[in-house]
Amino acid sequence: MFISRWIRSFGSCKKSAGLMISALALSLALVPDFPAEARVGLHQNYELQKVVIFSRHNLRSPMATDSEKRKNLTPHQWQDSQIPPGYLSNRGGLVETMMGESVKDELTRENFMMSPKDWEGKTSYFYADSDQRTIATARYFVAGAAPEANIRVHHKMEGTKDPAFDTKLPDTLDRNTLSSIRKGEDLWVRSFLSANKEEMNRDFRELERILDIYSSPDAKKGGFKGFVPEDLQITMKSGEKPKMKGSLKTAHSLADSLLIRYYETEDDREAAFGHTTTFEDWKKIGRIKDDFGILLYGEPQAARYMAMPLVRMMEREMKNSRKFSFICGHDSNMTAILSALGTYPYELPKSLEGRVPFGVKLVIEKWRGTDGILYGSACLLYPASRDIRHITVPREDVTPLRYPLTFHGISQNEDGMMKWADLEKLFHQAIL
């Protein structure tokens, strides 16, 4: 399916953006070079058997916890959202419907899940975290992928905690394991800062420029001295989520709100509070969000613990008889899952967030080759940033982008296919 429309990676992977740590040893890997298109006749040799998707929710309104930072660290008046904080926006719903329609078209071309009856009953399964934005994302995806089918999105009561999506470290960790995790995180942070400090400083300066932070109430009172990478602190405790202190945490909150403003405001100067900006300038803002996620949820040893419930859920869906499974969570979940699986470093083209943009989906597919062997493929399916910004109704000319993934320790054949048994083993080994 998605492997049939590979795209070439634009630019080089950011150094240490996906560093793999094993027993406190670091190794850097470059993004592999993929063909712009799949080989002719690929689908004559493979028949689609199963699709398992893990999705980040689509575009939402700014979070309530960021409102004080916007008020105190920018002199500008922010437009109030018409929906509650953290809810899926109307634009996010439209983009997700478009993504569902695109998946439907791809499945139809593969003669897979062709009718509403194919989607109903035990053939498909949809599960979402208990937040409004994740439940709504799954429902909008269903509206695009299977509009005539009677499908239930499973979830716990809205507003309650679903432990499957919680990025807490287990409260059962022994002292030695917790010590190892903390040492790994410390090495992870120090290595990342060593490789990316100059870039982080440039990104911080761009955020300060667009938001006119030095004219903000806090700056005028002397409470803001400038964002710096060096004050970063991350703590890991049993039974708790990892916590961050320092400039990056504050900058991330502001960058998140600013990117949402970009998506919801089609005029460039208005989005940037009157400043002149380019797409590359906005990528600096997106990179702040990427850095936050990589540092807080991307250290591989800790990520395996944080991602374990969802990796286990995906492994179960890979092994059962269902043909299509869709699980919807958050960027923190996606970052931890990809790190736990040992994904090679990547940077998504045409996206302001190069790692885990709004609406991105990890797509795992099972194929049967004409040689009788079961194969697997993996990719990230995501909307281009400009499409999020300019879509007002679902359009046939707007399709998500696809980026193929590779994993440490798994080889591929000339068509980019992995052995399905190797992919299953990868998921099983990621479960502690």
Side-chain angles (χ1 to χ4, degrees), residues 29 35 77 82 115 155 158 246 264 292 302-303 386 388 400 423 432:
Q77 184 69 36
Q82 300 301 308
S115 71
H155 59 86
E158 185 176 334
E264 298 285 4
F292 177 87
R386 287 196 172 102
I388 297 177
L423 202 53
L432 294 165

Side-chain angles (χ1 to χ4, degrees), residues 59-63 83-89 132-133 158:
L59 185 66
R60 53 160 169 76
S61 60
M63 303 300 290
I83 59 175
Y87 274 44
L88 191 75
S89 70
Q132 185 276 345
R133 58 186 176 276
E158 185 176 334

Side-chain angles (χ1 to χ4, degrees), residues 152 214 223 307:
R152 175 190 173 190
Y214 287 99

Side-chain angles (χ1 to χ4, degrees), residues 30-46:
L30 297 177
V31 173
D33 189 26
F34 291 100
E37 297 179 357
R39 288 170 172 75
V40 175
L42 171 63
H43 287 189
Q44 296 177 8
N45 300 320
Y46 302 93

